[in-house]
Amino acid sequence: MIVKKPPMGWNTWNTFGEKINEQIVKESTDAFVELGLKDYGYEYIVIDDCWSERTRDAVTDRIVADHIKFPNGMKAVGDYIHSKGLKFGMYSCTGVRTCADYPGSFDHEYLDAETFAEWGVDFLKYDNCYKPKTADCQLLYHRMGIALENCGRDILYSACNWGTEDVWTWIRSTGAHMYRSTGDIFDSFQSYKDIAMSQVNKFGYSAENCYNDIDMLTVGMNGSGNVGRGGCTDAEYRQQFVLWCMYCAPLMLGCDIRSISAESKALVTNRELIAIDQDEANRPPIWQHHPWNENLKVAFKHLANGEYAIAFYNFSDNDAGIPAMFELFGIPSNSGYKLALTDVFTGEKIGEFKDYINVKVATHDVKLYKAKLVK
Ligand code: GAL
């Protein structure tokens, strides 16, 4: 299975944690459809940890659905998701137990892949807790990779070892289509900022068929739910979403989409932003760091159509002017070129600029421009 764009969807973990059940998944699937998310490219509904019984079936050794949370079993859930034209994601783990202490797939990889295929699973998030010390992390990801490739169904393989063991250097070889590169996100400015900044020099490894995954988005959580921690302002959610899109990172929503605000919905369905995320050139941005204020950053990205995207991030606690020197992006003064800038959020034409620009950005906010080279 070849995955040509950063995957997009929704995952239960950020909002629901272990409090998941069939009704929540069905209601969220309905909300997904009502919001029209599929029209924007979102397609996976992923059930994270805590969906199974605490022990495997004594006779078949298979993982079984929690009979209270999912009384009709996982295939029925998958059938419902498929009936709405969406794709069905599930979760397991390299270790003997999952991170929340349910059965893991260690030494059961082939049996579990077969079970997932029987249930109609299209996406597997594969976590990394509780593996025996004698077991090699890379080998375990290979094992599940091969098990999935041979289970008789196309299943997108989403690895999750939180960036340990220099994952970017070997994960593509395992068959994984995306790989978590950081620890867990929480719904706060500090959390998403630290996650995004930890990957400034790591996105060169992220490309078609194996994408650096910087975790599910918290946009729209407003501090509630399993990973809610104080929440973010609308400006901070804007900043978070632009960070993910400028990286071409997978866009997995994590908020309660049944009650998403109009503001957050508009953000995660902004077609211009999604196009930057899904840009087929999939180039990482280059960064311009302010000489003395580490909280002011500019990211510059080449797009497939010959234009550029430039994001001005203000991580400081004050409104600020953020300068960008075009020379440092490869456009020196003697090239004779200017940049014609358009604000991606408002569509406003900002004008043509030579050599540099200084952009005013409110605290914890972002400005995002599309740029064309003009004489
Ligand atoms: C973590 C993982 C989270 C979530 C959680 C479930 O290891 O990073 O995204 O899946 O386990 O227990």
Side-chain angles (χ1 to χ4, degrees):
M1 177 187 187
I2 306 291
V3 177
K4 290 189 177 280
K5 297 274 173 74
M8 297 171 66
W10 174 80
N11 175 301
T12 54
W13 182 254
N14 280 4
T15 293
F16 298 104
E18 66 177 343
K19 298 193 191 93
I20 44 173
N21 58 46
E22 181 178 313
Q23 194 188 340
I24 285 172
V25 175
K26 281 184 167 175
E27 285 174 9
S28 301
T29 304
D30 293 346
F32 201 107
V33 172
E34 271 159 40
L35 291 165
L37 292 178
K38 201 178 161 195
D39 296 341
Y40 299 91
Y42 295 91
E43 55 180 339
Y44 292 97
I45 300 271
V46 182
I47 299 175
D48 208 283
D49 204 352
C50 312
W51 57 269
S52 76
E53 287 287 344
R54 292 276 180 188
T55 54
R56 288 176 177 269
D57 183 275
V59 178
T60 64
D61 210 20
R62 294 206 182 216
I63 314 192
V64 281
D66 182 306
H67 70 283
I68 294 173
K69 292 176 180 172
F70 296 98
N72 299 303
M74 304 316 292
K75 180 164 187 318
V77 180
D79 288 347
Y80 189 81
I81 292 170
H82 291 145
S83 76
K84 304 286 174 178
L86 302 174
K87 292 186 176 161
F88 174 34
M90 292 277 307
Y91 165 101
S92 191
C93 183
T94 56
V96 290
R97 305 291 286 175
T98 71
C99 299
D101 191 17
Y102 293 80
S105 289
F106 180 75
D107 235 359
H108 292 73
E109 292 86 355
Y110 287 79
L111 180 65
D112 290 353
E114 201 179 288
T115 306
F116 292 136
E118 281 170 17
W119 291 345
V121 168
D122 306 299
F123 177 116
L124 182 70
K125 175 172 172 182
Y126 204 48
D127 218 335
N128 196 39
C129 287
Y130 300 115
K131 49 179 198 308
K133 274 218 161 60
T134 50
D136 180 75
C137 182
Q138 295 190 32
L139 182 64
L140 294 184
Y141 276 101
H142 271 283
R143 268 206 219 173
M144 186 51 100
I146 295 175
L148 290 174
E149 283 161 4
N150 292 279
C151 70
R153 196 176 164 84
D154 278 347
I155 299 185
L156 189 152
Y157 185 20
S158 166
C160 179
N161 87 334
W162 324 291
T164 63
E165 317 217 11
D166 294 342
V167 64
W168 49 90
T169 62
W170 53 267
I171 190 67
R172 178 178 289 271
S173 69
T174 68
H177 301 105
M178 56 193 265
Y179 58 99
R180 270 277 297 284
S181 54
T182 68
D184 290 13
I185 198 166
F186 294 98
D187 188 22
S188 73
F189 165 73
Q190 197 65 42
S191 174
Y192 77 73
K193 179 201 148 197
D194 289 350
I195 281 177
M197 289 301 101
S198 77
Q199 297 303 300
V200 159
N201 295 318
K202 300 276 168 47
F203 265 86
Y205 296 88
S206 182
E208 182 178 315
N209 213 31
C210 195
Y211 299 92
N212 184 340
D213 169 16
I214 48 177
D215 212 349
M216 285 87 72
L217 293 151
T218 68
V219 173
M221 290 186 68
N222 298 313
S224 65
N226 184 42
V227 305
R229 295 284 195 288
C232 297
T233 63
D234 284 333
E236 289 166 345
Y237 286 140
R238 248 192 319 273
Q239 204 178 55
Q240 180 185 134
F241 200 68
V242 171
L243 282 162
W244 265 234
C245 291
M246 286 292 283
Y247 274 143
C248 293
L251 298 178
M252 302 300 292
L253 305 174
C255 69
D256 188 343
I257 51 174
R258 299 171 306 174
S259 53
I260 191 170
S261 69
E263 185 87 20
S264 290
K265 190 214 159 180
L267 179 61
V268 301
T269 57
N270 183 313
R271 287 192 192 277
E272 292 261 5
L273 284 166
I274 291 173
I276 291 172
D277 182 83
Q278 303 279 297
D279 188 76
E280 62 185 350
N282 197 331
R283 298 188 178 110
I286 64 164
W287 291 85
Q288 209 172 110
H289 305 279
H290 192 275
W292 46 264
N293 188 339
E294 60 176 12
N295 287 316
L296 305 178
K297 307 238 184 252
V298 186
F300 178 95
K301 180 185 180 71
H302 298 224
L303 299 171
N305 67 355
E307 295 183 358
Y308 303 89
I310 316 179
F312 297 80
Y313 301 105
N314 182 356
F315 298 123
S316 82
D317 293 334
N318 304 299
D319 297 352
I322 307 181
M325 314 301 167
F326 301 164
E327 160 85 49
L328 305 191
F329 301 135
I331 312 163
S333 192
N334 67 7
S335 69
Y337 281 106
K338 294 180 274 186
L339 286 178
L341 301 176
T342 306
D343 186 308
V344 170
F345 282 99
T346 63
E348 186 194 346
K349 294 216 180 308
I350 304 298
E352 295 180 359
F353 295 81
K354 189 157 169 37
D355 296 340
Y356 94 111
I357 188 173
N358 189 308
V359 178
K360 287 205 169 30
V361 185
T363 172
H364 292 198
D365 206 341
V366 63
K367 282 269 171 66
L368 179 61
Y369 295 154
K370 281 272 213 54
K372 266 188 199 159
L373 239 58
V374 292
K375 283 274 189 196

